[in-house]
Amino acid sequence: MGVFVLYVAVGMRCLLGIVFLASSLSKTAGRGRFSAFAASVRAMDVVPTGHVRTVAAAVVATEYTAWMLLVLAPAPGFALAGGLLVAFTAAVTGALRRGVYAPCQCFGTSARPLGRGHVLRNALLALGAAVGATAELLPAAAGSPQPAGVAAAVLVGMCAAGVIVLLDDLLELFRPLRTGRPGEPRRPARLPVR
């Protein structure tokens, strides 16, 4: 059981580390990326207008710090990641309650508007941070971890992180096409009959 706990901690470190690495890089690695993220924070209407860029910069800096800590000092890394995810969950929930459906700029330039799926994703990631922190703090069991077990935990964490990072894009692939004018209800596209 104790070695399994170690594998859980390794997998969660990998998952959350990659998620925060991708998130922080997507907001800074490219011309105009940070400005687009700041605009999405402004559109969410959760921060006073005069503080939007400061809060956006603080979010990005905290994301960078979270993934670095997950690599170097896992217990504080899990705590910071969990706190940030709880804050994200609260911010998105607040925006949705006010009827704000701004595009999510969590991992770059997605056009997918905020929704309950973003709340659920952030809440599940926060739960994962709590599980990882708990696993990290539990005493190690007698015996040492097997390299294959560690490799499997890393692989599962990487795959889960990839799905999470690309989830908005994957969901966009299955969204019905819009037809008609903006504001009209969505209708499925019809293919020509031959």
Side-chain angles (χ1 to χ4, degrees):
M1 176 68 176
V3 175
F4 177 74
V5 168
L6 173 73
Y7 298 147
V8 169
V10 168
M12 291 310 301
R13 281 175 68 186
C14 190
L15 185 154
L16 291 169
I18 291 171
V19 165
F20 279 109
L21 173 64
S23 182
S24 58
L25 287 177
S26 73
K27 294 176 179 101
T28 57
R31 178 170 279 164
R33 293 278 181 97
F34 179 76
S35 293
F37 173 63
S40 73
V41 171
R42 181 178 296 109
M44 286 178 65
D45 196 27
V46 293
V47 176
T49 304
H51 300 288
V52 166
R53 289 190 72 80
T54 302
V55 169
V59 166
V60 172
T62 306
E63 288 179 337
Y64 271 104
T65 303
W67 70 258
M68 284 189 251
L69 280 176
L70 284 163
V71 171
L72 302 172
F78 280 125
L80 182 60
L84 196 52
L85 288 160
V86 167
F88 291 165
T89 303
V92 173
T93 300
L96 294 176
R97 284 189 177 153
R98 289 187 312 281
V100 176
Y101 299 96
C104 174
Q105 297 290 315
C106 306
F107 299 106
T109 58
S110 174
R112 188 169 185 80
L114 293 173
R116 290 182 302 231
H118 294 98
V119 173
L120 180 62
R121 177 192 66 200
N122 290 336
L124 288 174
L125 286 172
L127 178 62
V131 167
T134 302
E136 190 68 37
L137 296 174
L138 289 175
S144 60
Q146 299 298 313
V150 173
V154 167
L155 183 61
V156 168
M158 289 173 64
C159 290
V163 169
I164 289 167
V165 168
L166 297 173
L167 188 59
D168 281 350
D169 295 330
L170 294 170
L171 292 173
E172 200 63 27
L173 290 173
F174 299 102
R175 189 178 87 170
L177 296 174
R178 286 191 181 270
T179 59
R181 286 176 264 161
E184 288 183 356
R186 286 187 206 167
R187 294 187 193 127
R190 293 187 182 192
L191 298 174
V193 179
R194 293 186 184 208

